[in-house]
Amino acid sequence: MTAKHETAREPLIRVVKRTSMSAKGKLGVRLAAVLLALLADAAFIFLVTGLNPIAVYRTMFSGTFGTSLRFSWAMRDLASLLLIGIALAPAFKMRFWNIGAEGQVLMGALATATVMIYCGDTLPAPLLFAAMLLASVAAGALWGFIPAWFKARFSTNETLFTLMMNYVAIQIVACCVNIWRGQASGLGKLNMRTKAGWFPQIFGQRYTINLIVVVALTVAVFCYLRYAKQGYEIAVVGESENTARYAGINVGRVVVRTMILSGALCGLTGFLIVGGRDQTISTGTAGGNGFTAIIVAWLAKFNTFTMALISFLLIFLEKGAGEIASAYNLNDYASDIIAGIILFFILGSEFFINYRAVLRGHGHQEVRK
Amino acid sequence: MTPYAIELHHITKTFGSVVANRDVSLAVNKGEILSLLGENGSGKTTLMNMLSGIYYPDEGEIYVEGERVEIRDPKDAYALGIGMVHQHFKLIDVFTALENIALVLDAHERYDLKAVREKARAICERYGFVIDLDQKVYEMSVSQKQTLEIIKMLYRGARLLILDEPTAVLTPQETERLFAVLRAMRADGKSIIIITHKLHEVLEISDRVSILRKGEYVGTVETERATEDSLTEMMVGRKVELNIERPLSSERHLRLSVHNLSVQSADGVRVLDGVTFDAYSGEILGIAGISGNGQKELLEAIAGLQKTLPDSSVLYYPDDDRDSSAEQLIGKTPRDIRDMGVHLSFVPEDRLGMGLVGSMGMTDNMMLKSYNEGGSPIADRSAPRKLAEEIREELDVVTPSIATPVSRLSGGNVQKVLVGREIAATPTVLMTAYAVRGLDINTSYTIYHLLNEQKQRGVAILYVGEDLDVLVDLCDRILVLCGGKCNGVLDARHTTKEEIGLLMTSLKQGKGGDQR
């Protein structure tokens, strides 16, 4: 048989993992990616919509930076998304796939709303805020604790468990909202008359408190993971449970403790959304941020500062796409594609930071004789 | 003369710089059971993997029924009638036995379960297999899964069956049943190669025995003319002069007293069965045995990482004073043991999966066991950093920086980091599992030297090893494990490799006690 003696041919392009890359090289790859993204996008804009790419980019930019109100909204949305990403970081670093941020945020929001409704008229403002905070953190922590305990005790699958807890939370919120709204068509803003439990404006900005909290937590969680003993334990458990046991770490306790923290931070986000942003609650309060934040946490490799950049990029593109759609009367799909192309190139560049392509005949020969 | 069912001529296979097989030749007759015998790492499985198309030999030829063949992948092997049952079964848990058998159908064959069932049933009747074809694999015992694997191979038309340590997971009764089936297959003209460590099984089942040692072919003997002693000698070979130091230490106090230590695996098998022995300070106690005979469980049980059965006891004597109160280590977690002030160091077999965190640098690995010391919630990294620098300096660890993830280091350097940390903890008991596995000669000698230093410091050392030459030269006493039982404790200065090899491969009747 002739086939027997045929040698395997090297493929035209092989992908090889890089050992490491200098900081300069990384910056170069990323800048090239942005440039390529803008060029490819310009081609799309010009060929498909017939618009002037430069003008479209300017419009996109104004989606976030056009007016101070727009910038304020962008920061508001950034705060919610980034906070959830930060909340997920400890759990993900432990390789505990917490897909339940959406539900944990909702439970925190529900607890906040409950306190606003039932204590809004009786408690003085400082006590009211403290009660809202405590209730929201406790509710989020509980929603994180339940799947963690089952995982530690019975090795249940946390991905499915946390995912399903989302739906439980959504149904509970739907039920409460139905009770509270009574005959009205919607719940409307809570405590509209007294504004009890509404965050005050600081520096003339409505979302100042949310922003201060998110900046503080970005630093705090970064330090917690990097420098604290508990952060070290999380890293060891995430890498290998066997090693953790060998080191004398009580794996179950670390899992439960970390998920209580993750859930509590999600609950806190719910508090900030209800008290500082919406002043009301619905099943859409978390708005899918609980899922988007998973992408944020992953892309940032659980580094909270990188998360801030990625959250900003996502929000910037989202606002920009919306702005393009309304300014040029495009349909949403076209504007989403314009934003999506940029995201594709920027994320795709990570591949070239970790891998390189080798053409046939170059580099190490691996042909079987 | 009829040609051999299969012949290997001058097969050589290397992995990087490691030679797994060198110039190996052997042959199997039709209707014959051939045993392939050898220590761990002697290249048995590698050799068989070349027959089943998983590896491709660097050099040498393979003949099937007299014809030269190329086996490039498992498909080629099946086409030639070669079937291998691996140690780890390749079955789909959620399928029934029948569905698993149907998986061997070719893409162009019709998926006709009825036909598959009839043919499978015929195979079962012919050779006396007992199996429920409608049972799901996850409900099967290990022995049933193995039976299914064999049926699968026969269904595929295997004329040569290779079994990789088939009896390692079986009870004696199940082994008997397997052997009955193998004999029926032999009577039907099939050829069988069986890899095993157990000498009495070799003598019971096979027609001829081929022996490998350190990747090289030693020879083939007729089973009728072989004895356990003659096979052991061929397997372990002549004594090699290693010139490992064995200093005498002046101190010798009782440090650990292990009594009736038993561990049960998740499948309910007693992997460690009533082991009793003493370990002394200033002594290296070697632990010999074919791998998987309870070494891992023994060390992990002492370290507080294994659940033990009732009545197990590990007493630790803290002072050099015999009358001092002993402390029970069983039922304690590793942290409990540390909090009791017991300096127990442990170099586990799985260096990156248990002893170290691969993605972390040397510094962070140094603090793995000590990070929790002190009251501050912030982890102190300055002391570990200093220790990392010291170890890097003293043991010549080759790494770009102490922050480089240790998984990027070579095997020898990884081991230096691990051993360095464990010794830096000033242990009173030091346990090592396969401390020099995969290391080059120089690094191995570095490790032996470190162990001897610790011995002279008055540390009680448990050294689980696989190279008998090293065990005989390095250790003071050698405990031999066989089937999870203590099969004897020998004085290393007055024993031979043959004596150890025999104790490793055949359990003495009514044994299990301790001997000094």
Side-chain angles (χ1 to χ4, degrees), chain A residues 3-5 19 226-230 232-233 235-236 239-240 242-243 245-249 253 368-369, chain B residues 72 305 334-335 338 346 353-354 356-357 359-360 364 368-369 371-374 376-377 379 381 421-422:
Chain A
K4 270 179 191 166
H5 299 292
T19 44
R226 181 67 67 93
Y227 300 113
K229 285 177 179 170
Q230 296 194 351
Y232 180 77
E233 285 178 340
V236 175
E239 179 74 18
S240 150
N242 259 336
T243 308
R245 290 197 315 124
Y246 168 84
I249 294 170
R253 214 176 65 198
R368 193 163 66 183
K369 292 276 146 35
Chain B
R72 286 166 307 174
L305 291 165
R335 183 165 286 175
R338 214 152 60 219
F346 178 24
M354 184 178 244
L356 297 168
V357 181
S359 62
M360 292 182 180
D364 278 17
L368 190 61
K369 285 173 148 182
Y371 76 94
N372 211 25
E373 285 164 11
S376 154
R381 277 187 170 77
R421 182 189 72 203
E422 291 304 293

Side-chain angles (χ1 to χ4, degrees), chain A residues 71-327:
Chain A
F71 186 69
S72 160
W73 283 345
M75 287 302 109
R76 172 196 72 190
D77 293 350
L78 173 84
S80 307
L81 179 62
L82 178 55
L83 254 178
I84 304 173
I86 291 168
L88 288 175
F92 279 12
K93 181 123 198 207
M94 194 175 66
R95 309 264 166 100
F96 185 106
W97 309 128
N98 179 13
I99 313 296
E102 189 89 357
Q104 289 150 19
V105 171
L106 274 178
M107 290 312 284
L110 181 68
T112 309
T114 310
V115 172
M116 281 169 78
I117 289 172
Y118 293 106
C119 308
D121 297 332
T122 49
L123 287 178
L127 273 182
L128 180 64
F129 281 120
M132 285 159 67
L133 172 69
L134 277 180
S136 67
V137 166
L142 175 71
W143 233 239
F145 165 78
I146 295 170
W149 185 80
F150 274 88
K151 163 102 174 175
R153 186 78 182 72
F154 303 109
S155 311
T156 50
N157 179 313
E158 78 274 13
T159 313
L160 290 173
F161 207 126
T162 50
L163 183 68
M164 291 193 291
M165 292 287 282
N166 288 333
Y167 302 110
V168 177
I170 288 172
Q171 294 308 321
I172 293 176
V173 169
C175 175
C176 291
V177 168
N178 276 335
I179 293 169
W180 289 332
R181 74 184 164 94
Q183 298 300 315
S185 63
L187 189 55
K189 294 226 175 204
L190 302 170
N191 302 346
M192 195 61 193
R193 193 176 45 77
T194 59
K195 299 204 170 172
W198 292 29
F199 282 14
Q201 292 203 0
I202 298 178
F203 310 131
Q205 291 289 327
R206 278 186 63 195
Y207 311 114
T208 311
I209 291 179
N210 289 20
L211 283 176
I212 292 172
V213 171
V214 79
V215 170
L217 280 176
T218 303
V219 177
V221 170
F222 180 84
C223 293
Y224 176 75
L225 290 176
R226 181 67 67 93
Y227 300 113
K229 285 177 179 170
Q230 296 194 351
Y232 180 77
E233 285 178 340
I234 289 171
V236 175
V237 170
E239 179 74 18
S240 150
E241 281 193 22
N242 259 336
T243 308
R245 290 197 315 124
Y246 168 84
I249 294 170
N250 184 337
V251 174
R253 214 176 65 198
V254 173
V255 167
V256 168
R257 185 183 70 204
T258 306
M259 268 310 287
I260 287 179
L261 174 70
S262 183
L265 289 176
C266 283
L268 177 74
T269 312
F271 164 61
L272 294 178
I273 290 174
V274 171
R277 191 184 90 187
D278 295 350
Q279 283 85 34
T280 184
I281 185 170
S282 73
T283 52
T285 289
N289 279 330
F291 297 109
T292 313
I294 295 170
I295 305 172
V296 172
W298 258 106
L299 290 178
K301 302 204 178 81
F302 321 135
N303 178 325
T304 53
F305 290 113
T306 319
M307 277 183 204
L309 290 178
I310 291 174
S311 305
F312 179 78
L313 175 70
L314 291 180
I315 297 288
F316 172 81
L317 290 174
E318 183 194 316
K319 298 282 173 202
E323 189 64 22
I324 294 168
S326 63

Side-chain angles (χ1 to χ4, degrees), chain B residues 60 92 116 179 294 299 307 313 439 445 466 485 513:
Chain B
I92 297 178
V116 174
F179 283 180
L299 298 193
K307 252 205 179 116
S313 157
L439 307 191
Y445 274 82
E466 48 198 342
K485 288 192 169 77

Side-chain angles (χ1 to χ4, degrees), chain B residues 420-432:
Chain B
R421 182 189 72 203
E422 291 304 293
I423 286 178
T426 58
T428 50
V429 177
L430 172 62
M431 304 192 290
T432 65

Side-chain angles (χ1 to χ4, degrees), chain B residues 104-340:
Chain B
V104 311
L105 294 175
D106 265 339
H108 59 263
E109 276 178 278
R110 251 190 71 215
Y111 183 73
D112 180 357
L113 274 185
K114 221 182 228 167
V116 174
R117 181 187 299 274
E118 265 168 38
K119 199 174 151 194
R121 204 174 270 153
I123 291 171
C124 291
E125 272 168 32
R126 189 157 168 192
Y127 301 112
F129 292 108
V130 182
I131 194 167
D132 175 2
L133 288 172
D134 296 313
Q135 197 174 19
K136 303 257 191 205
V137 168
Y138 64 81
E139 294 171 332
M140 291 184 173
S141 70
V142 182
S143 141
Q144 286 171 313
K145 287 181 196 173
Q146 186 181 61
T147 307
L148 175 57
E149 278 281 14
I150 297 173
I151 296 172
K152 225 172 84 182
M153 291 305 152
L154 293 173
Y155 188 97
R156 210 164 212 161
R159 295 184 298 277
L160 172 72
L161 199 65
I162 303 167
L163 303 165
D164 192 356
E165 293 196 44
T167 61
V169 291
L170 302 184
T171 64
Q173 293 76 27
E174 289 167 341
T175 304
E176 268 317 304
R177 224 173 302 145
L178 172 69
F179 283 180
V181 171
L182 293 185
R183 288 193 188 100
M185 285 164 53
R186 170 172 63 187
D188 195 46
K190 307 261 185 210
S191 309
I192 297 162
I193 299 179
I194 176 168
I195 299 179
T196 177
H197 296 299
K198 298 181 186 167
L199 292 178
H200 65 96
E201 290 176 0
V202 170
L203 295 174
E204 184 186 336
I205 187 76
S206 62
D207 302 303
R208 291 186 305 144
V209 193
S210 290
I211 293 128
L212 296 182
R213 188 199 311 146
K214 293 181 178 160
E216 291 182 35
Y217 174 69
V218 178
T220 301
V221 290
E222 304 272 332
T223 310
E224 282 176 5
R225 290 194 207 122
T227 63
E228 292 201 357
D229 287 323
S230 71
L231 290 178
T232 306
E233 202 192 311
M234 291 180 82
M235 196 166 102
V236 297
R238 286 261 142 89
K239 176 137 176 44
V240 184
E241 274 310 318
L242 286 171
N243 293 319
I244 301 174
E245 283 177 79
R246 178 162 45 196
L248 272 175
S249 68
S250 47
E251 293 182 79
R252 192 169 185 273
H253 305 285
L254 183 62
R255 194 46 26 101
L256 271 188
S257 183
V258 176
H259 187 75
N260 197 27
L261 191 59
S262 302
V263 172
Q264 203 161 25
S265 75
D267 331 323
V269 180
R270 280 205 175 203
V271 278
L272 203 60
D273 196 355
V275 171
T276 298
F277 68 92
D278 288 337
Y280 295 86
S281 66
E283 176 195 73
I284 300 183
L285 175 64
I287 295 171
I290 305 288
S291 79
N293 274 262
Q295 296 93 320
K296 178 172 176 276
E297 288 76 11
L298 175 63
L299 298 193
E300 290 189 5
I302 296 173
L305 291 165
Q306 282 274 354
K307 252 205 179 116
T308 51
L309 293 176
D311 297 330
S312 299
S313 157
V314 176
L315 288 176
Y316 171 79
Y317 293 86
D319 297 317
D320 296 339
D321 176 7
R322 211 172 219 296
D323 304 326
S324 62
S325 57
E327 306 210 52
Q328 180 60 257
L329 299 188
I330 293 295
K332 308 271 194 316
T333 66
R335 183 165 286 175
D336 292 340
I337 293 174
R338 214 152 60 219
D339 291 345
M340 283 158 55

